[in-house]
Amino acid sequence: MATLLAGSAVALAAVVTFLSGWLTRKLDREHFRSAREVERQQFEANENAERERDRRDRYATHSAQLGHESSAVRLAGAYGLGALADEWVRTDQGTDAQTSVDLLRAYLRMGVDDGSVGLSARERELRKAVVEAIARRTDWWLRSVGADAKDVWGHLDTDLSDSCLVSIDLYRAHLAGITLSGADLSGAVLSRADLENGILDRAILVNAKCTGIYARGADFENADLRGADLRYANLTEANLSGADLRGADLTGAQLNGTCLEGLRGGMSTGYARRWRDKFKPAREPVH
């Protein structure tokens, strides 16, 4: 009996020793994993902070480049701001992304008061690049071409109203849904561009070349289209109410359902009515 009890005690002591060792090793492993997790989180936090400092430094650099006297440096600054906005969008930093976009929009508005003086060829190329860079990142453009939407700026404000785009070449540009209210597009080349549902109310398009433009449903209310070349333009269901069309060439233009009320510049109500009769809309346009 004594021998049995002694054996049991030895066995129990062995079990206790084993369990104690196992528990110690388990706690050590958990402590090690916890310490590694803390180190990992700290590393990621430091890395994120470093990346953010880098972005802030790049923003300052690109902002300065945008005001440089060299057009090539300004272009580099514009592309850099676009890339920064992409990064901030991917990391859900919408406010910072909007700041970059706002700087690009402000740049396009510069010179609007003295736009009649004109823009240099290099400056026109720069502004074209900025417009197209913004346009191809908007959600409507990406959806229309079936592109990857990871860098979509859909939730950002990309309104380009009051931009100075004098004589800019946007031939065949994809600008459907763009907002250019009050923008100065005097002498611009928009031939065969896609402006479906674009908003160009009050826009200045004096002598603009818009041959074959696709502007179905676009809003040109009170726009200045004097001398504009609108031959074969698709203006189906567009809004041209109050627009100034003196000297504009509308040969072959599609005007089904187009709103032509209150046209300025001497186009008579009777002439507008004859247009409506010639291009009878399937339904009354909504004004």
Side-chain angles (χ1 to χ4, degrees), residues 69-145:
E69 61 181 16
S70 166
S71 60
V73 175
R74 292 198 301 275
L75 182 60
Y79 281 137
L81 287 169
L84 268 177
D86 289 341
E87 291 180 30
W88 275 321
V89 164
R90 286 195 292 268
T91 54
D92 294 322
Q93 293 174 273
T95 301
D96 292 318
Q98 185 64 62
T99 300
S100 288
V101 177
D102 286 345
L103 191 54
L104 292 174
R105 298 195 303 153
Y107 182 84
L108 292 180
R109 289 195 296 269
M110 290 174 58
V112 105
D113 293 333
D114 56 356
S116 57
V117 175
L119 302 170
S120 69
R122 289 183 176 179
E123 183 62 21
R124 291 197 299 272
E125 284 300 311
L126 174 92
R127 296 188 181 222
K128 172 185 178 180
V130 173
V131 170
E132 292 183 336
I134 292 175
R136 68 171 172 265
R137 287 173 167 93
T138 51
D139 57 350
W140 50 263
W141 190 90
L142 288 167
R143 285 200 305 268
S144 68
V145 298

Side-chain angles (χ1 to χ4, degrees), residues 41-92:
Q41 291 177 358
Q42 186 61 50
F43 176 80
E44 287 186 353
N46 292 339
E47 197 174 48
N48 289 336
E50 183 62 32
R51 276 197 294 264
E52 194 55 33
R53 281 193 294 271
D54 175 66
R55 289 186 186 122
R56 302 292 176 188
D57 290 343
R58 286 160 56 200
Y59 176 81
T61 299
H62 297 321
S63 298
Q65 287 176 323
L66 206 57
H68 198 276
E69 61 181 16
S70 166
S71 60
V73 175
R74 292 198 301 275
L75 182 60
Y79 281 137
L81 287 169
L84 268 177
D86 289 341
E87 291 180 30
W88 275 321
V89 164
R90 286 195 292 268
T91 54
D92 294 322

Side-chain angles (χ1 to χ4, degrees), residues 139-284:
D139 57 350
W140 50 263
W141 190 90
L142 288 167
R143 285 200 305 268
S144 68
V145 298
D148 188 353
K150 65 180 180 181
D151 292 332
V152 166
W153 289 3
H155 64 290
L156 301 182
D157 185 356
T158 54
D159 186 330
L160 298 183
S161 295
D162 301 317
S163 293
C164 180
L165 304 172
V166 176
S167 300
I168 191 172
D169 186 352
L170 291 169
Y171 177 74
R172 287 186 178 274
H174 191 112
L175 304 172
I178 198 169
T179 298
L180 287 165
S181 300
D184 191 345
L185 290 150
S186 302
V189 177
L190 291 163
S191 300
R192 299 189 181 280
D194 182 359
L195 278 167
E196 184 176 14
N197 296 321
I199 301 174
L200 293 96
D201 59 296
R202 301 178 292 102
I204 302 171
L205 291 137
V206 176
N207 297 322
K209 297 174 179 60
C210 303
T211 309
I213 192 172
Y214 185 75
R216 186 185 185 97
D219 184 4
F220 292 95
E221 183 175 5
N222 295 319
D224 189 345
L225 289 155
R226 288 173 296 165
D229 183 354
L230 290 160
R231 289 174 298 162
Y232 308 105
N234 188 333
L235 297 166
T236 303
E237 298 181 345
N239 180 13
L240 287 168
S241 61
D244 191 340
L245 288 164
R246 280 177 293 181
D249 188 348
L250 286 144
T251 303
Q254 298 179 44
L255 298 165
N256 298 39
T258 305
C259 180
L260 302 167
E261 300 300 328
L263 293 175
R264 290 180 289 148
M267 182 169 286
S268 67
T269 302
Y271 190 30
R273 186 179 299 113
R274 286 196 296 277
W275 263 359
R276 284 198 302 274
D277 291 341
K278 183 177 181 180
F279 302 99
K280 189 68 175 178
R283 57 182 175 78
E284 284 296 316

